[in-house]
């Protein structure tokens, strides 16, 4: 629960393609995960969350997948647009459930 | 409600000066958090309040830092005798009751200590 990590620091995607951002966690007891999007100069913006009793959750153009077996979650963005350019963080409550902790982020850039 | 509001958005101060930041959370949210974020890193937890009670402080929060939430509504974060290493984005977030629900962030206050 105290170690939320990301696989890649940067991801470059062609406009219109799908983006997949990955995140690993270490605490098998973790039961809630959140994805945030942070644009330059702005605060993190909530995108989507998922609880451990679910494997998949869909939002508008975004899908989060949770694989509890390998302690991995991913954020999929369909038909990536220039406005999706940002840093994406996965986050989860810490082991005491007192605050949210963040990984270091993946920067998503869009090629025209 | 327009969300979490932080003031000022930017602050430039000379080393050794004191600075104070304000955060106005979403009105019905009981929990209020302060985070610090440096370039290329994720937000790092500093402290949080449940209503007016400050329940946890990170080791990052040195004696020069103090936070208050006197009436359980807005909060202030003060840094005394600022140092160059204090330069960062200071983020405030609020949520209902626990971190197992959505936490909403403000736009942050970017502090530059020269």
């Amino acid at each position: 629960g105290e170690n939320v990590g990301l696989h890649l620091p940067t991801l470059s995607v062609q406009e219109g393609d799908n983006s997949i951002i990955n995140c690993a966690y270490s605490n098998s007891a973790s039961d809630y995960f959140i994805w945030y999007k942070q644009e330059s100069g702005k605060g993190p913006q909530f995108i989507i969350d998922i609880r451990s009793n679910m494997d998949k959750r869909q939002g508008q153009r975004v899908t989060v997948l949770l694989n509890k077996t390998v302690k991995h979650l991913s954020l999929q963005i369909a038909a990536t647009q220039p406005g999706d350019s940002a840093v994406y963080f996965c986050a989860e409550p810490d082991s005491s459930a007192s605050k949210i902790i963040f990984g270091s982020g993946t920067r998503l850039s869009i090629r025209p | 409600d327009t969300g979490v509001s932080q003031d000022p958005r930017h602050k430039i101060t000379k080393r050794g000066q004191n600075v104070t930041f304000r955060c106005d959370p979403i009105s019905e949210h009981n929990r209020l958090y302060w985070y610090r974020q440096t370039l290329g890193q994720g937000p790092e937890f500093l402290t949080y309040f449940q209503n007016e009670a400050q329940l946890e402080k990170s080791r990052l929060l040195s004696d020069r830092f103090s936070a208050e939430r006197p009436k359980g509504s807005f909060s202030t974060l003060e840094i005394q005798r600022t140092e160059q290493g204090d330069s960062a984005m200071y983020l405030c977030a609020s949520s209902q009751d626990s971190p197992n629900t959505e936490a909403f962030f403000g736009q942050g206050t970017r502090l530059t200590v020269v």
Side-chain angles (χ1 to χ4, degrees):
Chain A
E2 304 291 346
N3 182 14
V4 181
L6 291 161
H7 288 226
L8 293 172
T10 60
L11 177 65
S12 179
V13 175
Q14 190 79 32
E15 182 177 352
D17 287 352
N18 297 337
S19 302
I20 300 175
I21 300 171
N22 296 304
C23 183
Y25 62 95
S26 59
N27 183 4
S28 57
S30 296
D31 60 2
Y32 180 63
F33 303 91
I34 314 133
W35 282 99
Y36 284 93
K37 172 186 180 183
Q38 188 174 28
E39 297 175 275
S40 181
K42 297 184 178 180
Q45 177 186 5
F46 174 92
I47 303 173
I48 192 167
D49 59 3
I50 188 167
R51 300 193 183 276
S52 60
N53 60 352
M54 302 173 70
D55 297 323
K56 178 180 179 179
R57 191 168 187 215
Q58 288 185 294
Q60 187 177 16
R61 280 201 309 119
V62 296
T63 300
V64 57
L65 299 178
L66 176 62
N67 185 330
K68 295 179 285 293
T69 302
V70 295
K71 291 182 283 188
H72 178 272
L73 69 157
S74 66
L75 178 70
Q76 300 180 3
I77 305 173
T80 311
Q81 303 170 359
D84 295 327
S85 294
V87 178
Y88 290 82
F89 295 97
C90 62
E92 63 173 333
D94 70 342
S95 54
S96 63
S98 60
K99 71 271 189 185
I100 291 168
I101 56 173
F102 289 78
S104 57
T106 294
R107 179 173 297 281
L108 177 64
S109 61
I110 314 303
R111 302 191 302 273
Chain B
D1 197 331
T2 56
V4 179
S5 176
Q6 292 188 246
D7 184 71
R9 291 291 310 279
H10 304 275
K11 179 69 177 179
I12 300 175
T13 191
K14 292 183 178 179
R15 189 173 50 189
Q17 296 295 305
N18 299 343
V19 293
T20 300
F21 310 141
R22 176 179 171 124
C23 172
D24 287 90
I26 294 172
S27 57
E28 63 267 25
H29 285 182
N30 299 323
R31 287 206 172 195
L32 185 149
Y33 309 84
W34 285 100
Y35 287 80
R36 182 176 72 184
Q37 185 176 27
T38 53
L39 197 63
Q41 300 297 316
E44 297 173 295
F45 171 78
L46 292 178
T47 188
Y48 89 93
F49 294 83
Q50 176 82 23
N51 299 313
E52 67 274 10
Q54 187 175 18
L55 297 186
E56 186 173 344
K57 293 192 288 186
S58 162
R59 289 170 296 175
L60 294 174
L61 214 66
S62 75
D63 292 344
R64 297 184 297 105
F65 288 69
S66 63
E68 295 181 344
R69 194 183 183 196
K71 298 181 180 179
S73 56
F74 74 91
S75 175
T76 58
L77 177 68
E78 181 183 17
I79 309 174
Q80 296 181 325
R81 305 181 301 282
T82 51
E83 302 173 355
Q84 287 189 319
D86 297 331
S87 296
M89 175 79 88
Y90 290 84
L91 293 162
C92 177
S94 70
S95 71
Q96 286 182 325
D97 295 329
S98 83
N100 289 323
T101 58
E102 296 177 36
F104 295 86
F105 281 80
Q107 299 288 48
T109 294
R110 179 163 297 282
L111 172 67
T112 303
V113 182
V114 297

